Amino acid sequence: MAREGVGAAMAPAAAEVRYGIVGVGMMGREHLHNLAHLAGEVEREQSVRVCVTCLADPHPESLLLGLRLAAELGLPPPQTFSGHRELLDSGLCDAVVVSSPNMTHSEILMDIIGYAKPHHVLVEKPLCTTVQDCEKVIEAAKHRPDILVQVGLEYRYMPPVAKLIDIVKSGTLGQVRMVAIREHRFPFLVKVKNWNRFNYNSGGTLVEKCCHFFDLIRLFADANPVRVMASGAIDVNHKDEVYDGKVPDIIDNAYVIVEFDNGCRGMLDLCMFAEGSKNEQEISVVGDTGKGEAFVPEGVVRVGKRAGGRDGVVTVKAEDERIKYVLLCHNISMFSGS
């Protein structure tokens, strides 16, 4: 006879996914913060158990900050390594978050994808800094059907952007003909050893920062680009900075026009010395029957039909009840249980 409370009432042990983080700078610690919240959510739901078991970074200061944050979050201390290969060899993780500087992505990804033991991967944008390296990683990933390689293009999931995506997909605006994204914001933040001040490290401003927006433009257009025209310059930011005798060469403003194979056109308007803006991103999608707009961080979406004119424009506050908190560095939200 079974004792009371034992037997049928006993819940099965939850499965466990062990995470390692490669690159524990600002973004890596943001991912650590996210995983700590996710761990708490899934444990309350008695589903898959999430834990961060290891961190890798060649900079001792970053590792120390990562350990300090883990302690503040109440996590068991992760094991630390000076490089990603040692992390892989440790056998301590099932999935890897790659949040190291852009120019390191290609080598790290190829090592993870080519490793005998499968590791799922979430890599911070951009995938790589050159088209050639991106193609190489994509081709390698095709030969590993046992792993998932995902790029962190999280702007798709901001509530106002996600709402606008749903509106476009519903056909409310008709056939999309024009997409315009304006990002007017503050200059690039300071990173470890100022790696993001130079094109050869970051891939350039339009790769490092604006890959988010080219992803969205292509998503809204639902087509592939056939022609690109652009003009940009270094007009205000970083001109008086010098690192190892070199002046930063990243542009701080640009206009980009992209033409797609379905006739749609997209435009990016970027300015990184426009702190005096109410919204950082303003997104406009115009179809042949209507127009939709999203504003971040205001969190507002506006939709109107040509037939209804200005008086028919509807404004809604875009919210998502699944969001539990706002990330440390961006106006991007964390989804619990997803």
Side-chain angles (χ1 to χ4, degrees):
M1 181 176 177
R3 288 177 297 162
E4 184 177 352
V6 179
M10 184 178 291
E16 180 180 68
V17 178
R18 303 169 303 162
Y19 282 84
I21 300 176
V22 176
V24 201
M26 182 181 66
M27 291 307 302
R29 295 194 297 276
E30 195 163 279
H31 283 291
L32 179 58
H33 211 282
N34 295 343
L35 288 167
H37 279 265
L38 188 60
E41 287 295 317
V42 297
E43 285 179 12
R44 280 192 289 274
E45 296 173 6
Q46 295 184 340
S47 56
V48 177
R49 182 171 177 266
V50 172
C51 59
V52 179
T53 54
C54 45
L55 310 174
D57 199 300
H59 303 286
E61 299 86 356
S62 294
L63 287 175
L64 182 61
L65 289 170
L67 288 172
R68 189 176 299 164
L69 177 59
E72 292 172 359
L73 295 169
L75 300 176
Q79 189 162 336
T80 59
F81 302 95
S82 61
H84 67 280
R85 294 185 181 91
E86 292 85 354
L87 180 144
L88 293 173
D89 290 339
S90 73
L92 289 174
C93 60
D94 310 299
V96 181
V97 177
V98 178
S99 45
S100 56
N102 299 359
M103 67 284 190
T104 68
H105 288 185
S106 176
E107 179 182 353
I108 292 171
L109 289 171
M110 291 300 291
D111 285 345
I112 297 172
I113 294 169
Y115 202 80
K117 178 183 180 292
H119 294 82
H120 299 300
V121 188
L122 171 63
V123 57
E124 268 294 334
K125 59 77 192 169
L127 178 63
C128 300
T129 58
T130 69
V131 172
Q132 293 79 7
D133 283 342
C134 287
E135 290 175 339
K136 184 169 65 174
V137 168
I138 292 169
E139 186 61 30
K142 288 179 181 178
H143 296 285
R144 289 300 300 264
D146 53 337
I147 67 174
L148 175 68
V149 180
Q150 183 177 6
V151 183
L153 293 167
E154 70 276 5
Y155 272 65
R156 292 182 177 209
Y157 307 105
M158 292 180 175
V161 180
K163 178 69 174 176
L164 184 56
I165 290 171
D166 288 342
I167 290 169
V168 171
K169 287 184 175 180
S170 74
T172 299
L173 310 182
Q175 176 67 41
V176 173
R177 307 311 304 168
M178 301 179 72
V179 182
I181 298 181
R182 167 181 287 172
E183 180 174 60
H184 283 194
R185 55 162 281 173
F186 49 89
F188 278 122
L189 300 174
V190 175
K191 298 293 182 76
V192 174
K193 293 189 174 181
N194 300 290
W195 66 263
N196 63 339
R197 295 299 196 258
F198 298 96
N199 290 325
Y200 61 80
N201 288 331
S202 69
T205 300
L206 295 179
V207 171
E208 154 66 4
K209 184 68 196 72
C210 302
C211 57
H212 282 302
F213 308 122
F214 297 126
D215 172 62
L216 290 177
I217 291 172
R218 183 173 178 271
L219 181 66
F220 287 126
D222 192 24
N224 289 316
V226 293
R227 190 158 71 131
V228 178
M229 297 159 276
S231 174
I234 309 169
D235 285 331
V236 176
N237 297 340
H238 316 304
K239 298 177 74 171
D240 57 350
E241 300 175 14
V242 179
Y243 304 101
D244 296 327
K246 299 177 181 178
V247 177
D249 59 359
I250 50 171
I251 63 174
D252 57 20
N253 68 97
Y255 292 112
V256 182
I257 296 174
V258 184
E259 295 182 350
F260 291 89
D261 57 14
N262 65 353
C264 180
R265 284 173 294 153
M267 183 186 74
L268 172 69
D269 166 3
L270 172 73
C271 180
M272 299 191 67
F273 46 90
E275 293 92 329
S277 303
K278 182 173 183 178
N279 285 293
E280 218 172 278
Q281 290 91 28
E282 300 177 5
I283 303 172
S284 169
V285 181
V286 184
D288 54 11
T289 62
K291 175 182 177 180
E293 297 175 283
F295 301 89
V296 180
E298 192 176 5
V300 166
V301 175
R302 296 194 181 103
V303 185
K305 303 283 284 184
R306 293 180 66 190
R310 183 176 299 167
D311 293 338
V313 175
V314 176
T315 301
V316 297
K317 183 73 174 178
E319 298 175 325
D320 192 317
E321 62 183 13
R322 295 172 296 169
I323 294 172
K324 302 300 182 182
Y325 77 101
V326 175
L327 300 192
L328 305 177
C329 305
H330 297 286
N331 297 306
I332 303 168
S333 301
M334 164 70 186
F335 290 82
S336 294
S338 65

